[in-house]
Amino acid sequence: MLYLEYIVLAALVVFLSVRLSYYVDCLDKKTNLSGAFIGGVMLAAVTSLPELFTSLTAVLALDQPDLVQGNVLGSNIFNLCVIGGLMLFTSRRYQRATLSKSHSKTLWFGLVMYALVFAAIMMPKEVGFSFLKVNLMSILILLVYAVNVKFMGNDDSGDVEEEVYISLSVRQIAVRFICYSVGLVIVSILLTTVTDRLAEELQLGATVAGAIFLGVATSLPELSASVNLVRIGNFNASFGNIVGSNLFNFIILCFADVLFTQGSIYVNEPQVMNLLGFGAFSMVCTLVVIYGKKHRALVLLASVAILGSYVTSILLSM
């Protein structure tokens, strides 16, 4: 029954995510907001809600901070696998697509965040007072994210003027978007509790369980939304969703750091270091996918490297 619960909840996550990606595409076509902002901030934040609420549940209800690191870092690698997988099947269409310039900047900011998390683990420095103390790196991660959002908001380089009739008004789209987002939050919280029970039954460590079960399940929104966006031809929002979600995921570590008062959320474990290293490597490979866009062989090679990085990270974490 436990496995069935996991599968049903995962299926609900996929359904809700596909609907959300549809309404984001509608917003992209009905408003003057930049495609980079819609995909990289709005959709990225919503499809990262499972990571956010599962991580907060892991800290507040389950007292499992290790689940948070495994969830966030595992999700980030899996998210990039979505790009790698899509490129293997759509590389020719991708070469003709238009991407916002800010996507590559977001990946560079992501590499900075990996470095900050590494510093938070190896050189912990807390700031604050009384019970409210956070790692200094958590504050720097928030600042880096804010700078990146500013870049995305001003970037309309990937926008393409397209006349498409959509019967829904902007308000109707927004209401539906909010309703499906709430549904995604509820399902995500349920998914966390099921994952914790699975980890106990299979006798897996919290970090490994977070990377495998939570990391994959909570990345289903990014997977479903991005595949659907590519299917309807919106590569720009699809890429923005993935790279933006990865950056937003680091913010989850900051929230968990504030709420977990029994110690540090940044734990020095071999599995965590493994996920950090392979995550940074996958981001570099994704930069190759973007910068080498016109060279199909290079894109395919980088995509295979991204997929191989994820598989290797999981095997070494077992």
Side-chain angles (χ1 to χ4, degrees):
M1 283 298 294
L2 200 56
Y3 297 102
L4 182 60
E5 286 181 47
Y6 181 86
I7 292 170
V8 169
L9 289 170
L12 283 172
V13 167
V14 171
F15 169 74
L16 293 168
S17 304
V18 170
R19 297 308 300 164
L20 280 168
S21 69
Y22 168 73
Y23 292 122
V24 158
D25 189 59
C26 290
L27 282 174
D28 192 11
K29 293 179 170 65
K30 292 273 290 189
T31 67
N32 292 323
L33 292 172
S34 77
F37 182 82
I38 289 175
V41 179
M42 290 180 61
L43 182 59
V46 171
T47 56
S48 289
L49 286 177
E51 283 91 347
L52 173 60
F53 282 89
T54 52
S55 295
L56 296 185
T57 304
V59 169
L60 297 175
L62 304 177
D63 194 25
Q64 289 276 23
D66 290 359
L67 266 178
V68 179
Q69 283 194 129
N71 178 24
V72 168
L73 299 176
S75 291
N76 278 5
I77 302 179
F78 185 83
N79 286 350
L80 296 177
C81 278
V82 175
I83 288 179
L86 285 172
M87 290 304 97
L88 292 180
F89 296 100
T90 64
S91 58
R92 292 191 187 280
R93 289 176 58 202
Y94 167 63
Q95 287 183 296
R96 298 190 298 269
T98 304
L99 296 182
S100 297
K101 295 177 181 177
S102 61
H103 295 334
S104 57
K105 290 188 177 70
T106 300
L107 286 167
W108 284 113
F109 280 124
L111 287 171
V112 171
M113 287 189 174
Y114 270 107
L116 291 175
V117 172
F118 181 77
I121 294 172
M122 302 306 295
M123 299 174 289
K125 171 70 175 176
E126 289 191 334
V127 295
F129 55 89
S130 185
F131 65 91
L132 185 60
K133 290 186 177 181
V134 296
N135 195 297
L136 175 62
M137 298 303 146
S138 292
I139 298 173
L140 293 179
I141 286 172
L142 286 170
L143 290 175
V144 170
Y145 184 77
V147 172
N148 184 68
V149 168
K150 186 177 185 301
F151 273 116
M152 282 187 167
N154 296 328
D155 182 17
D156 58 1
S157 58
D159 294 351
V160 179
E161 294 297 326
E162 188 178 0
E163 289 294 329
V164 178
Y165 174 73
I166 297 172
S167 59
L168 298 173
S169 67
V170 173
R171 181 181 178 183
Q172 288 174 319
I173 295 170
V175 169
R176 285 165 172 75
F177 184 84
I178 292 169
C179 289
Y180 280 105
S181 299
V182 171
L184 195 58
V185 169
I186 295 170
V187 173
S188 302
I189 293 172
L190 295 174
L191 194 59
T192 313
T193 58
V194 171
T195 299
D196 188 55
R197 287 154 57 200
L198 271 174
E200 289 181 7
E201 183 172 311
L202 297 176
Q203 296 184 332
L204 293 172
T207 302
V208 177
I212 298 175
F213 290 109
L214 273 186
V216 173
T218 57
S219 289
L220 286 175
E222 287 87 352
L223 171 62
S224 309
S226 293
V227 169
N228 192 52
L229 285 166
V230 166
R231 184 185 64 81
I232 59 183
N234 197 336
F235 276 87
N236 193 40
S238 179
F239 264 70
N241 175 33
I242 294 295
V243 298
S245 291
N246 275 18
L247 228 61
F248 185 88
N249 284 350
F250 283 107
I251 305 301
I252 295 170
L253 291 175
C254 303
F255 292 147
D257 188 27
V258 172
L259 295 173
F260 188 64
T261 57
Q262 300 175 38
S264 175
I265 199 72
Y266 302 101
V267 182
N268 188 352
E269 289 185 345
Q271 293 95 335
V272 173
M273 292 302 178
N274 165 32
L275 292 172
L276 277 174
F278 282 103
F281 173 75
S282 295
M283 280 204 163
V284 171
C285 290
T286 308
L287 279 169
V288 174
V289 169
I290 292 179
Y291 287 132
K293 184 170 176 287
K294 299 300 180 183
H295 306 282
R296 186 166 178 257
L298 188 60
V299 169
L300 291 174
L301 181 62
S303 300
V304 171
I306 293 169
L307 296 172
S309 176
Y310 176 71
V311 173
T312 306
S313 70
I314 294 300
L315 291 176
L316 292 178
S317 295
M318 299 297 288

